Amino acid sequence: ASSAEQFYVSAGRGEKALHLYTDDKEALRAAVTRVEQARSAAEVWQASQRQRQAEQQARRKAWWQRQRRGWAAALRQQAARKLREIAEAVQRRPESRGRGHA
């Protein structure tokens, strides 16, 4: 049962007795004491649209985060490659050998 109303409808269908089984008594108690206000079809649709938009926004945000991580990794690789090229060029220079500085 997801609400007090649903619980009473389900319980009212029994003709002679009601046997109730649960693995979480507190969760059941919380569910059947929760009162839900009836919503129109338009309200349900609007809520589903808000949920859908929130999910789309979360997917877009995750995509952009992945893109930024990829760009950052590419920039780091490019910088490391450039540093290696500079270090190799400095080592090849004849005037830089034997001195303490470049």
Side-chain angles (χ1 to χ4, degrees):
S2 60
S3 68
E5 293 84 1
Q6 180 62 45
F7 178 76
Y8 291 127
V9 168
S10 298
R13 291 190 177 150
E15 292 183 18
K16 295 181 181 178
L18 170 69
H19 296 278
L20 184 63
Y21 299 92
T22 183
D23 58 350
D24 190 344
K25 188 190 266 187
E26 291 303 316
L28 175 63
R29 184 175 286 130
V32 299
T33 57
R34 181 176 52 244
V35 177
E36 291 183 354
Q37 188 174 10
R39 299 190 312 179
S40 68
E43 290 171 328
V44 171
W45 182 81
Q46 288 170 347
S48 71
Q49 291 302 306
R50 283 192 300 272
Q51 177 67 28
R52 189 173 143 262
Q53 288 172 349
E55 290 169 356
Q56 285 178 339
Q57 186 176 8
R59 281 193 300 272
R60 282 189 203 110
K61 184 178 180 180
W63 183 85
W64 278 109
Q65 288 174 341
R66 286 192 306 273
Q67 293 301 311
R68 284 189 207 110
R69 282 194 299 268
W71 295 332
L75 287 173
R76 283 191 301 272
Q77 289 174 354
Q78 187 179 17
R81 189 170 39 253
K82 193 68 168 172
L83 285 172
R84 280 193 303 273
E85 290 172 5
I86 292 170
E88 289 170 1
V90 167
Q91 287 178 351
R92 285 192 301 260
R93 293 163 108 194
E95 65 270 6
S96 67
R97 295 181 189 189
R99 295 186 192 166
H101 56 84

